[in-house]
Amino acid sequence: MAVATFEIGFTRFLDRSGEVVQPLPAFASEAKALIPLYRSMTRLRMFDAKAVALQRTGRLGTYAAALGEEAVTIGLASAMAADDVLVPAFRDQGAQLWRGVGLVDILAYWGGDERGSVAGPSEDFPVCVPIGTHFPHAVGVALAIKLRRQSRAVVCIGGDGATSKGDVYEAMNMAGLWQLPVVFVVSNNQWAISVPRQRQTAAATLAQKAIAAGIPGEQVDGNDVIAVRHAVDEALAAARAGRGPRLIEAVTYRLGDHTTSDDATRYRDDATVSTHWAEEPLVRLRRYLTAQGVWTKEDEEAMQVALAAEIEKAVADYLALPPPAPQDMFDHLFAVLPADLKAQRDTLAEEEALHA
Amino acid sequence: MAVATFEIGFTRFLDRSGEVVQPLPAFASEAKALIPLYRSMTRLRMFDAKAVALQRTGRLGTYAAALGEEAVTIGLASAMAADDVLVPAFRDQGAQLWRGVGLVDILAYWGGDERGSVAGPSEDFPVCVPIGTHFPHAVGVALAIKLRRQSRAVVCIGGDGATSKGDVYEAMNMAGLWQLPVVFVVSNNQWAISVPRQRQTAAATLAQKAIAAGIPGEQVDGNDVIAVRHAVDEALAAARAGRGPRLIEAVTYRLGDHTTSDDATRYRDDATVSTHWAEEPLVRLRRYLTAQGVWTKEDEEAMQVALAAEIEKAVADYLALPPPAPQDMFDHLFAVLPADLKAQRDTLAEEEALHA
Amino acid sequence: MPEVTLVGAVNLALARAMEDDPSVLVLGEDVGVDGGVFRATDGLLGRFGPERVFDTPLAEASIAGMAVGLAAQGFRPVAEIQFSGFIYPAIDQMVNHAARLRNRTRSRLSCPMVLRAPNGGGIRAAEHHSESVEAFFVNIPGLRVVVPSSPAKAYGLLLAAIRDPDPVVFLEPPRLYRALKEEVADDGRALSLDTSFVIREGTDVTLVTWGASVVEAMAAADDLAADGVEAEVIDVACLKPLDMGPILASVERTGRCVIVHEAPLTGAPGAEIAARIAERGLMSLVAPVQRVTGYDTVMPLLRLEKAFIPSTRRVIDAALRTLEYA
Amino acid sequence: MPEVTLVGAVNLALARAMEDDPSVLVLGEDVGVDGGVFRATDGLLGRFGPERVFDTPLAEASIAGMAVGLAAQGFRPVAEIQFSGFIYPAIDQMVNHAARLRNRTRSRLSCPMVLRAPNGGGIRAAEHHSESVEAFFVNIPGLRVVVPSSPAKAYGLLLAAIRDPDPVVFLEPPRLYRALKEEVADDGRALSLDTSFVIREGTDVTLVTWGASVVEAMAAADDLAADGVEAEVIDVACLKPLDMGPILASVERTGRCVIVHEAPLTGAPGAEIAARIAERGLMSLVAPVQRVTGYDTVMPLLRLEKAFIPSTRRVIDAALRTLEYA
Ligand SMILES: Cc1ncc(C[n+]2csc(CCOP(=O)(O)OP(=O)(O)O)c2C)c(N)n1
Ligand SMILES: Cc1ncc(C[n+]2csc(CCOP(=O)(O)OP(=O)(O)O)c2C)c(N)n1
Ligand SMILES: [Mg+2]
Ligand SMILES: [Mg+2]
């Protein structure tokens, strides 16, 4: 006797060649409206490339580019309202940038400066490095929103690897229980460093992780920014309307190394990666825009020039950032520094002065 | 487009009045063969009652009776082979007893004596008090079995509350990934202390937690020992044959307090509980056995007398257990006691001697 | 003024904090209709409703993690972990997030949460229900760790913890939950989280302790007094940050120090106190610093728990040992 | 004898242990084809196959928990946690299960597992990748905690940890992974887990340290020697259980002690060492015990990590402070 049945759906609007495979959602009905998405995805890709270059020359710490995943991180951010709250993973600089965090801030943070996490919408969380630990934060934020009866919602992002973590499951379960306004997005880029998605779980989809939490789960083509944005749009609308959380698995591919500390050639061959370049999100959107007659070669060139200039300027500003003072490490530990820490701070300052 | 579909089934053989609702599995084809199950369930219930009484009179520590859940714990144990490994939760004295742990040992453990965890099949784990933390142990044991290419399996038990814990999910996910020989049984007794199962999760069934792990999940009537045993039989056979893990949700009801420290009248009314007495597992099996003509009033009385005597004897032996020596707390910390601990042990022994 | 038990004082403080500040929430396993397994949250659900007092699923890691999210939003969640033996899954959230949210965002976000748990043995409880876990928290930068030892301190310190703008781990000794009653004015007055408390004055030896061990330290002081030895007793109460002032001042006078706590010896906060004395009070010491503590063993099951918990006898013996030095 | 780095020595020891004992398994995130993010397990998959060297899902709590199950079955799992900043979810399993399985079953079951992790800063890593977590483990009864400071120690201590019949937490300083090479004979000889190591003899002041801070302690000793001050340097290496013998013997001679470690000051193992000196070596001390440590702050991001990590300069200053006492 069957007591429960479930189904996981998959959505795509633009295929790899930029062809529309089903009627587009309202926000995409005018092709021109997609240009900001295309521009942000390009900006992210160019910025990432620059950041990687900075790291290679010793001017930035470890950096995780979103190469190949631009449609996920920009797509979800573009669906958010300004007063929604972003709870990002460590590869979500794209979403941060869309929401107003400066290029300089991103560089400052990955360059090893806490001041990089000051900027941005004031309720957004900074990126989360310990995998999956931010999922419960998203639940807490969503609960706060629900308790205040506000009409806004939270977007929380994790990777395919994150779906193996217990706290990620716990959080989704709590969000389901309380029908909280939160959208969980799994950016399934097929890899957790060297571990392929097939070695994380026997589950056929990552979207079905939602079933354990009693919430809806669905797959979208994570290289189709329209599909990502549409799914997040709908999930956010449901969340804001009190209809509870959802899990969206965006199926995409990590085209680059895991981070600048990684050498992906150790564990996957270039040939496989190459096949995925045919799926990547920028080209298909550009093809569509071009086919629709709203984007030209000249537009492309002008955009690239402008973005390059913006990025160069940001890098210059970043490199010019004065170093933080050592005693800064004490100044935001507590609202009011306790006495025994004040003594440590004074000692540090004295030693700095002494040996300066 | 649907990319995955799932279904959760439910199985019952004996209904609440002891009527057979579908053809019985082979092990139950002769009614007489069920008498040992009935006897063990009764033994467990009588023993639990005695243990609770001992606690009430200050002669035992906190105790968690399995009242109402006898069919789950005895049913699953009866499906196990001697060389399978039991990884029990804290309410699984029934399964331990079936597998040969002595009544005295159970009393010793809950009476506050580590020696209570020595006995039993040597590879079985002792009961686990921190909820859900033993699920990863079951995975490790099952992996050991798989690596050795043995044809045996592990049974790991948790409650409805346990299904909210991240480690429980992580463990099931790992077991699914590696197709390990382990059967997870959730004894859904509808309560985690005062929190009803509906307040643990929005999931319609607990069996569907399996879907997140990519493993089969199913529900059985946890008050029907035949259904429990049958499901675990089949799952163990699959596991031993290399077909991977399963999750079985046994739907039952906690008829008593959570433990002797609990007062369930604070959070649930007796009327609700009463309705569940109509479902309880002993009566329905007795009705069936009686209807089949293999069990009489005289059998029942003789059994109760014998069990009472066995239990009385165990209690006497338990109460006669000499107290552990204080320095015993050092003797099983390490295979070889490190020097600085030896010094602590000596001090303790000296102080004991001095102030004796 | 009503006479209340320690657990009663916890309850009073929670109610007072909730009354005064609508952003205070109480959450955890069984804190709602059941009122907590020790009844610390008894009556709060009825009084403040299910939006401010609610049961969570059984998931300690995410209880802490959700509290971080609530706190970042400006709520003041007071999360209960049912026993400190189950607090370990919450450590990740406390160290990686709660205690550093302010720092890592340069104060853009902060985390005014309290994580409460019964902590310690002596109540004939089951395995894993009698642990002393303070050592796991004192090395975490950005955190406060508080252990009350009386109804009045439970009331005043818990209020302070809830009102503190930063995260606090609040460990309550269940052995004292109902051991004694004390008059506590429900006046909403918080105690300082930056002070060690001198709870008995004396000139011959300094006993430094916290939590349930305050009982044995005070009993030892009584016994010693009968023999003409005046022990000063200091209840540290706030283990982090640590106020060494009264301890160093006392040791300066007595020259002798015995530290008493129930947690296993090695690496517990008693070590930190001894270390700071060795650093800043060395010249006052006439006798070696003694520690009377739980052994470096697993907390035994109930038949042996008394042998593990520091006894009055052991405290007296240690004090007398310090007096053997001239 | 080949010259190897510290991470190379870890790799050698793993290979040797696996060669000698088929029950040794290596598991963790990215330990297989990738050979570990620091390459500690490089080549092991090829040599010993996927049944003995395998990647796990991303789930630290269950990596430790599964290792408990494997160990109870007689395997000797060596589980890698990718960085110690991600080890916190594993604490629950280490304290509630690994470290007490033998005790709670009166030796019917045991838990011969090793939990390895890079631990400490100085490698310009991202947030949460430079933590020093030893303080979280030294209060856990039934556990061993080991921190190697050189290739030879990494080899000998890791072999000992793997062969030990009880659980060991093995914390490797990534700052030293490739900082120096040393001749290490791959002879399968384990070092003792019960000994602190005197790595430089001296008569004027005792420097006690472990892990990466050994570098600064030795550099300080060199500098001090140039000024005529002979420092004895002790590498504790095994933080739990703790061998105080060489430390007390040294302090008896020098009368002065500086403890150096990277973990934040409060409640770190340095406190335990100072406390034991205050207890058992007090009469030898002529100067206050000094601790030169990480501050009680969150480990800063990379631009300030050097200011956090104890410098040679700070060690020298502390040693000189002890010499101001007669
Ligand atoms: C709790 C934790 N464990 C391990 C790591 C080290 N680590 C960083 S990223 C990563 C893989 C993450 O994979 P995924 O979730 O798929 O995200 P992706 O890197 O693909 O964006 C690992 C293991 C970490 N940061 N946190
Ligand atoms: C990790 C952890 N948290 C909390 C507790 C306290 N506690 C003991 S039993 C229990 C409820 C368990 O519910 P369930 O899993 O349904 O098992 P049941 O008691 O119904 O058999 C709780 C919260 C615990 N033992 N372990
Ligand atoms: Mg990934
Ligand atoms: Mg239950």
Side-chain angles (χ1 to χ4, degrees), chain A residues 58-62 109-115 127 129-131 161-162 164-166 192-195 199-200 261-263 266-267 318 321-326 328-330 333 340-341 344 347-348 351-352 354-355, chain D residues 28-37 39 42-43 55-61 82 85-86 89 123-129 265-266 294-305 307-308 311 313-314 317 321:
Chain A
R59 291 174 296 168
L60 197 75
T62 307
Y109 173 76
W110 292 103
D113 190 329
E114 284 81 358
R115 290 171 297 184
V127 297
V129 170
I131 299 298
S164 295
K165 283 244 5 256
I193 310 187
S194 72
V195 180
R199 298 258 176 90
Q200 285 293 340
S261 304
D262 180 49
D263 172 9
R266 290 179 64 90
Y267 52 79
Y318 159 65
L321 263 186
D328 284 7
M329 70 175 92
F330 288 93
L333 269 180
D340 71 342
L341 279 164
Q344 290 187 23
T347 312
L348 169 62
E351 280 170 5
E352 289 290 322
L354 199 68
H355 301 296
Chain D
E29 295 158 12
D30 306 291
V31 299
V33 57
D34 196 34
V37 294
R39 311 290 171 248
D42 197 20
D55 291 336
T56 62
L58 206 169
E60 282 77 8
Q82 205 158 77
F86 312 130
I123 52 165
R124 292 177 53 83
E127 194 178 5
H128 298 281
H129 284 70
L265 176 83
T266 298
Y295 300 102
D296 281 320
T297 63
V298 174
M299 177 72 177
L301 296 186
L302 71 88
R303 289 189 81 163
L304 284 186
E305 69 174 338
F308 177 92
S311 62
R313 185 72 254 162
R314 287 177 62 205
D317 288 350
R321 272 199 302 281

Side-chain angles (χ1 to χ4, degrees), chain A residues 53-103:
Chain A
L54 284 172
Q55 192 280 338
R56 298 276 185 247
T57 52
R59 291 174 296 168
L60 197 75
T62 307
Y63 187 78
L67 187 63
E69 300 173 59
E70 293 88 351
V72 181
T73 190
I74 299 295
L76 67 88
S78 70
M80 293 176 70
D83 68 349
D84 290 334
V85 179
L86 179 73
V87 183
F90 65 99
R91 206 186 288 284
D92 291 311
Q93 59 273 10
Q96 292 187 301
L97 291 171
W98 178 279
R99 288 176 62 73
V101 174
L103 298 171

Side-chain angles (χ1 to χ4, degrees), chain A residues 91 159-161 187-193 254:
Chain A
R91 206 186 288 284
D160 43 311
S187 183
N188 173 7
N189 67 4
Q190 313 299 336
W191 295 93
I193 310 187
R254 198 193 81 208

